[in-house]
Amino acid sequence: MQRELIPGEVVLVGGGPGDPDLLTVAGLRAVQQADVLVHDRLGPLEVLDQAPEGAERVNVGKIPRGAFTPQERINEILIDRARKGLKVVRLKGGDSFVFGRGGEEWQACVEAGVPVRVIPGVTSAVSVPALAGIPVTHRSLSQGFTVVSGHVPPDDPRSTIAWDALAKGHTTLVLLMAVKNLGAIATRLQDAGMPADTPAAIVQEGSTENQAAWVSTLASIGDVARANDVQPPAIAIIGDVAKLGLD
């Protein structure tokens, strides 16, 4: 892997779920060389202090149902700074290519003629359940897992997920960005045949000092989220593995 950043290049760095110790060595090395750091509100923000003195820090974080920087503007910032001959690091939470819009940013750079490469990150879809004692697969319980976005409810025209198929898939379901719609998703899965007593869990702010987890059932997981005022970032896990609680 190329270690030195090149002036005029954009590097998409996956920062992991939040704990700075879970940022990869390659990711940290990139941060330490950056002239510009374009970062979200999630991820290992402590590592911004590792950037060179004088490095520009641009916060483009999105707050759910709140302030946000349009993706088009983020693309413009990356391209603009790279064209000025700067070493640009795009620091994102989790992995840039797992619901991180890294693919869109890659395409925007390529179309603009800007060199771009990626440093993968530890995805929260797998690491956060693990930190709560939940393996997404287990030889005697689950032969696979499916990661889906729950940012729109199942009956929304924008939803393209085959929820009925997932309900019968007998694999672990990992739901990202699903706090608001968790109750509706659980109802849809039950209507499609998934047993109401299927174990389900929620992990909030995984890998941070504020990590909290709740284990329940598919039928009640939405109520649990509301009763505990669960807020993003949070991940829901549905399937037999959710009952293990290995921690």
Side-chain angles (χ1 to χ4, degrees), residues 32-192:
Q32 292 171 334
Q33 298 177 61
D35 295 320
V36 183
L37 283 157
V38 182
H39 65 89
D40 291 345
R41 71 181 185 92
L42 303 177
L45 298 184
E46 293 95 330
V47 304
L48 295 177
D49 294 335
Q50 297 282 329
E53 184 177 354
E56 181 185 9
R57 295 162 176 80
V58 184
N59 183 354
V60 295
K62 300 178 178 67
I63 299 175
R65 297 177 294 282
F68 72 98
T69 304
Q71 185 60 51
E72 293 75 15
R73 177 55 184 155
I74 296 173
N75 297 345
E76 290 172 358
I77 292 170
L78 297 175
I79 294 166
D80 172 73
R81 301 304 192 274
R83 284 177 169 169
K84 291 178 179 177
L86 301 173
K87 302 172 185 175
V88 184
V89 167
R90 174 70 169 107
L91 181 64
K92 307 168 75 68
D95 181 272
S96 300
F97 285 1
V98 182
F99 299 125
R101 298 196 176 183
E104 296 176 44
E105 292 167 358
W106 179 293
Q107 289 178 309
C109 289
V110 170
E111 290 171 3
V114 170
V116 57
R117 62 186 172 97
V118 63
I119 295 177
V122 177
T123 175
S124 59
V126 175
S127 61
V128 166
L131 291 167
I134 300 172
V136 293
T137 64
H138 189 283
R139 185 168 59 167
S140 64
L141 297 174
S142 176
Q143 296 180 13
F145 66 98
T146 304
V147 182
V148 297
S149 167
H151 75 287
V152 294
D155 60 354
D156 191 297
R158 294 171 295 169
S159 177
T160 59
I161 296 172
W163 293 105
D164 291 359
L166 292 180
K168 301 176 176 66
H170 302 292
T171 62
T172 305
L173 299 185
V174 181
L175 309 178
L176 278 62
M177 301 177 286
V179 172
K180 179 181 178 181
N181 300 311
L182 190 53
I185 291 171
T187 297
R188 176 62 173 271
L189 291 171
Q190 291 175 83
D191 290 345

